[in-house]
């Protein structure tokens, strides 16, 4: 039988972010795969367990936990390192599903939304035979960030670029836009920019009960954010954060 794979966007870890569609998909599943990413990120697995404990009502649904593989730092080429890592993750999925005979409807909980800077969809296409893939959209960290600061994402008729910390460090503030959102940045890459004329809105753990925020001119807020990020990571063992940069001189919005 064809495997039906539901990729369920769960927002940023707040159970209130789950849609009714997401809850229905989880309760239809025969099997839910739950990754463990080591002791440093045990909170992430705990959050998934808490969400399932709150919304799962189908006693027949099984949960299979598996250890997440790590990227091989010995592979110098970044793209190849990621491809190999995705292959290893797909293999863990296959092994977990095979250990539960009869599971034809499988679900995975995906942080945020499966379409935005998440590789779950790419990993799913590695399964052979390819499953029937269902995507349940979720609230993104971008939405949680702008909600936390009560700001619009874009200026009137203005474009927005979504980029990564690595791209910001290597190429600078994206050309042709006044607003960019930076994700997957473990190095506070805004430090690589000349701060003059740039406003920043930042959130750590956006949308969660431990959410922390800061905003202001980059020249003033940058060092506060670096310190707050380091303190939060030391306290929790991990951090997920996101920020929006806007060239000043457009809308003078502050949270």
């Amino acid at each position: 039988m064809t495997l039906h794979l539901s990729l369920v966007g769960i927002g940023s870890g707040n159970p209130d972010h789950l849609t009714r569609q997401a809850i229905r998909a989880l309760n239809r599943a025969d099997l839910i795969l739950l990754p463990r990413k080591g002791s440093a990120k045990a909170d992430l697995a705990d959050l998934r367990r808490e969400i399932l404990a709150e919304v799962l009502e189908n006693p027949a649904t099984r949960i299979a936990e598996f250890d997440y593989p790590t990227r091989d730092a010995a592979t110098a080429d970044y793209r190849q390192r990621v491809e190999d890592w995705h292959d290893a993750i797909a293999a863990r999925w296959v092994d977990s599903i095979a250990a539960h005979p009869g599971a034809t409807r499988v679900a995975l909980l995906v942080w945020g939304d499966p379409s935005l800077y998440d590789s779950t969809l790419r990993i799913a296409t590695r399964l052979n035979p390819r499953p029937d893939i269902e995507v349940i959209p979720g609230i993104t960290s971008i939405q949680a960030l702008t909600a936390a600061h009560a700001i619009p994402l874009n200026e009137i008729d203005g474009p927005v670029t979504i980029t990564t910390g690595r791209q910001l460090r290597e190429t600078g503030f994206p050309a042709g836009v006044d607003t960019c959102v930076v994700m997957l940045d473990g190095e506070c890459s805004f430090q690589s920019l000349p701060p003059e004329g740039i406003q920043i809105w930042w959130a750590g753990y956006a949308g969660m009960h431990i959410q922390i925020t800061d905003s202001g001119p980059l020249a003033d807020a940058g060092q506060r954010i670096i310190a707050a990020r380091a303190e939060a990571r030391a306290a929790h063992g991990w951090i997920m954060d996101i920020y929006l940069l806007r060239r000043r001189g457009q809308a003078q919005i502050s949270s």
Side-chain angles (χ1 to χ4, degrees):
M1 295 180 64
T2 301
L3 177 69
H4 181 90
L5 182 63
S6 296
L7 307 181
V8 182
I10 62 170
S12 59
N14 184 337
D16 290 340
H17 286 181
L18 263 71
T19 63
R20 285 185 290 182
Q21 183 185 17
I23 294 170
R24 286 195 298 269
L26 292 172
N27 278 284
R28 286 197 307 266
D30 302 315
L31 181 69
I32 297 174
L33 302 183
L34 196 156
R36 297 185 298 250
K37 297 187 177 183
S39 58
K41 294 184 178 180
D43 282 359
L44 298 178
D46 289 342
L47 281 169
R48 283 185 168 97
R49 294 186 191 104
E50 289 173 13
I51 289 171
L52 291 176
E54 184 164 330
V55 304
L56 203 58
E57 298 178 345
N58 183 356
T61 300
R62 294 165 285 175
I63 298 173
E65 300 193 9
F66 66 96
D67 292 322
Y68 218 65
T70 57
R71 301 188 204 188
D72 186 355
T75 305
D77 182 80
Y78 172 78
R79 182 76 62 174
Q80 188 60 54
R81 187 161 66 247
V82 172
E83 293 288 345
D84 292 345
W85 182 47
H86 288 174
D87 285 342
I89 296 170
R92 298 286 175 91
W93 292 7
V94 169
D95 290 345
S96 296
I97 296 169
H100 293 80
T104 60
R105 300 186 68 90
V106 177
L108 281 122
L109 282 66
V110 181
W111 292 112
D113 182 87
S115 71
L116 183 62
Y117 281 107
D118 183 87
S119 294
T120 310
L121 274 164
R122 298 184 185 91
I123 296 167
T125 62
R126 285 166 157 76
L127 302 187
N128 187 20
R130 180 168 175 164
D132 173 25
I133 299 173
E134 173 190 33
V135 176
I136 310 298
I139 292 175
T140 69
S141 57
I142 297 175
Q143 294 166 288
L145 169 69
T146 55
H149 288 282
I151 58 171
L153 175 61
N154 63 292
E155 295 294 285
I156 296 175
D157 199 34
V160 175
T161 292
I162 303 170
T163 189
T164 65
R166 186 169 66 91
Q167 290 292 331
L168 194 71
R169 294 192 303 273
E170 294 179 359
T171 63
F173 200 110
V177 298
D178 289 311
T179 301
C180 72
V181 176
V182 183
M183 305 179 69
L184 304 179
D185 185 10
E187 301 182 30
C188 295
S189 299
F190 52 75
Q191 298 175 88
S192 65
L193 301 176
E196 293 77 17
I198 299 177
Q199 196 89 359
I200 186 170
W201 291 265
W202 172 83
Y205 316 103
M208 299 172 63
H209 71 281
I210 56 173
Q211 172 181 280
I212 49 177
T213 62
D214 201 344
S215 65
L218 181 57
D220 299 331
Q223 290 303 311
R224 296 198 306 266
I225 291 169
I226 292 169
R229 189 184 192 282
E231 182 179 349
R233 183 167 188 172
H236 299 286
W238 63 279
I239 187 169
M240 292 191 292
D241 61 338
I242 183 172
Y243 54 92
L244 181 150
L245 298 173
R246 183 167 285 149
R247 299 184 199 270
R248 205 179 302 147
Q250 299 297 309
Q252 298 296 320
I253 303 173
S254 61
S255 59

